[in-house]
Amino acid sequence: MTTRLVLSKRAMAAIEADVLAHPTTETGGLLPCRMFGNAMIVPFTIPGGSRATRTPSRFSPDTDTQQVLLDFAFDLFSVDFGGAWHRHPGQFDQPSAYDLKTARHIVTDPTWDKQHAVFPIAVTDG
């Protein structure tokens, strides 16, 4: 089954703002979602966190803060982890070997219990 990713205007605006706030480094965040048929609906994003590491070649989120926020969002809005977005500086729009390894771990490790997860790379245009 093909899954379609649907970002709300709020989610798109948050991603765009984060990308513009970190023009020379990698950045990213979580995509909490609800599944409706084959559509993964993302109403908002969870930012990388105040203790995230951002360098030109690596993004490492503040997972402790993200987990607290994801748990809160689950309790309030019944959303679940749908994936994670990130951005490479410049126009590099392909996943790195590390990106692929991380995504593969999440979708194959039974402790995650994820049937659907997406890992889009945000790019800037112009």
Side-chain angles (χ1 to χ4, degrees):
M1 175 168 75
T2 301
T3 299
R4 186 169 52 119
L5 176 63
V6 180
L7 299 173
S8 70
K9 288 181 182 180
R10 175 177 296 212
M12 269 306 289
I15 292 170
E16 190 173 84
D18 196 4
V19 165
L20 294 174
H22 302 97
T24 61
T25 61
E26 286 198 20
T27 191
L30 297 182
L31 300 170
C33 76
R34 292 186 73 182
M35 294 299 299
F36 290 99
N38 72 338
M40 181 180 284
I41 310 296
V42 177
F44 53 87
T45 64
I46 294 177
S50 61
R51 293 187 308 261
T53 301
R54 293 175 177 90
T55 72
S57 61
R58 178 104 175 186
F59 170 68
S60 182
D62 175 359
T63 56
D64 291 339
T65 298
Q66 285 185 320
Q67 188 63 58
V68 168
L69 294 172
L70 186 60
D71 290 344
F72 183 74
F74 177 81
D75 290 343
L76 250 54
F77 306 112
S78 298
V79 293
D80 197 4
F81 174 83
W85 74 272
H86 76 285
R87 176 194 160 266
H88 299 143
Q91 296 298 316
F92 184 61
D93 62 355
Q94 299 297 312
S96 68
Y98 184 80
D99 296 338
L100 294 172
K101 180 181 175 184
T102 300
R104 192 174 299 112
H105 170 74
I106 290 170
V107 298
T108 60
D109 185 335
T111 59
W112 280 85
D113 191 29
K114 292 286 117 198
Q115 291 183 349
H116 303 281
V118 295
F119 302 92
I121 298 173
V123 295
T124 55
D125 184 19

